[in-house]
Amino acid sequence: MRIIDFHTHIYPDPLARKGSQSICEFYDLQSDLVGSAGALLAEGKKAGIETFVLLPVSIKPEHVHSINQFTAEAVSRHEAFVGFGTVHPAMEHLVDTLAEIETLRLKGVKIHPDTQRFPIDDERMNPVYDALQGRMPIMIHCGDPRYDNSHPRRLKNVLKKFPKLTVIAAHLGGWSIFDTAFECLKDENCFVDISSSMMFMSKEQMEQYIAGYGADRVLFGSDFPLWSPAQEVEAFLKLNLKPDDREKIAYRNALGILNGTV
């Protein structure tokens, strides 16, 4: 069965270990993985993962362009990579950055409201959300009990305002607040991924969330380098799912979002 990992992060080789440590420190987690392209590809080989979606985030607005360029270069070097770009609401010419992302042949946008320090429903982002409707998908980090910026109710506000926006709400729609996220998003027009989720609940709980959202709305993701894609695939394959639903989550929903371009 084909597998597309829709949630991964890499850094330039000289910064890969520091980048991995930084994200672990932010979440008070531990990982021995190094967030380099080579390490990700090696994990993919072990797990039988065919395609990885790279999701960069720029903490500072002045770094957006260089980070998007790095991602595009990684995609050009490795057939297994599909890249998203990033934006920051404090940057100049915010909407114009979408054209740059398209020129770089990146396939979507990633934002992380907690590390970038803005609420999902920040009005500065409205022109971006509007411009993305029918154009490109956006992956949004959602959920963290320490912060309100990424609360799924804020995503719900955006979904109501921009009904044609294709959104993937990361981490089952709300990292570590999975029940709250489900209540907010179960009836909304968005996808969720299962990254950074399976290790925090039982197999049966994950199966219930997938059934609640519907397999048509769920994507496989590992959140490398926080977690091993190989171990995440192993856990995913142990879930009691219908074969058709398993294929939807593993790759078919991803192909739909990416317009079959991978």
Side-chain angles (χ1 to χ4, degrees):
M1 180 180 65
R2 185 177 186 184
I3 300 175
I4 296 175
D5 187 341
F6 215 99
H7 197 127
T8 69
H9 310 280
I10 65 168
Y11 310 92
D13 285 351
L15 304 175
R17 186 170 296 279
K18 181 179 179 181
S20 302
Q21 291 173 344
S22 178
I23 194 169
C24 285
E25 289 171 2
F26 183 82
Y27 289 107
D28 194 23
L29 297 169
Q30 292 185 341
S31 174
D32 295 327
L33 296 167
V34 176
S36 66
L40 179 55
L41 291 168
E43 281 286 318
K45 187 174 182 179
K46 290 190 291 184
I49 298 173
E50 182 176 315
T51 304
F52 296 95
V53 178
L54 307 179
L55 301 174
V57 171
S58 181
I59 307 303
K60 297 181 179 180
E62 60 266 28
H63 294 162
V64 165
H65 300 295
S66 62
I67 287 174
N68 288 341
Q69 185 67 48
F70 162 75
T71 304
E73 290 172 356
V75 170
S76 70
R77 289 195 303 268
H78 303 289
E79 291 183 357
F81 290 165
V82 173
F84 275 32
T86 190
V87 298
H88 194 294
M91 66 187 300
E92 295 182 2
H93 312 297
L94 178 56
V95 174
D96 292 344
T97 304
L98 300 181
E100 178 184 273
I101 287 171
E102 289 177 318
T103 298
L104 291 171
R105 298 186 178 181
L106 302 174
K107 302 298 183 181
V109 172
K110 167 68 189 293
I111 58 172
H112 194 308
D114 294 331
T115 60
Q116 293 180 297
R117 299 184 180 182
F118 69 91
I120 292 174
D121 53 359
D122 190 319
E123 290 188 356
R124 292 176 297 173
M125 287 295 293
N126 284 349
V128 173
Y129 296 142
D130 187 32
L132 285 173
Q133 292 191 107
R135 184 176 179 182
M136 283 189 290
I138 183 168
M139 169 78 77
I140 302 178
H141 168 90
C142 289
D144 191 320
R146 302 170 298 175
Y147 307 105
D148 186 63
N149 283 338
S150 64
H151 197 285
R153 75 171 183 282
R154 294 191 178 276
L155 175 57
K156 189 171 183 174
N157 293 337
V158 171
L159 294 170
K160 295 295 187 185
K161 189 175 291 187
F162 303 99
K164 296 181 181 180
L165 186 63
T166 299
V167 174
I168 306 103
H171 319 309
L172 278 180
W175 179 71
S176 72
I177 55 169
F178 303 112
D179 284 344
T180 299
F182 181 72
E183 289 305 312
C184 281
L185 301 175
K186 62 183 178 181
D187 298 319
E188 299 302 321
N189 180 28
C190 68
F191 294 88
V192 298
D193 75 22
I194 62 172
S195 66
S196 287
S197 302
M198 288 188 287
M199 66 293 298
F200 297 113
M201 63 185 70
S202 69
K203 172 177 170 287
E204 291 73 22
Q205 286 175 309
M206 176 58 68
E207 292 164 355
Q208 289 171 3
Y209 280 120
I210 290 173
Y213 280 115
D216 289 342
R217 298 175 56 193
V218 182
L219 302 166
F220 175 80
S222 68
D223 213 358
F224 174 90
L226 278 176
W227 314 104
S228 159
Q231 292 177 4
E232 291 299 286
V233 168
E234 182 180 2
F236 170 66
L237 293 178
K238 289 179 179 177
L239 297 176
N240 184 22
L241 301 172
K242 295 178 181 178
D244 187 57
D245 288 346
R246 192 182 304 280
E247 288 186 0
K248 289 176 181 177
I249 296 166
Y251 73 95
R252 283 165 49 190
N253 293 339
L255 288 178
I257 292 171
L258 299 171
N259 297 316
T261 56
V262 296

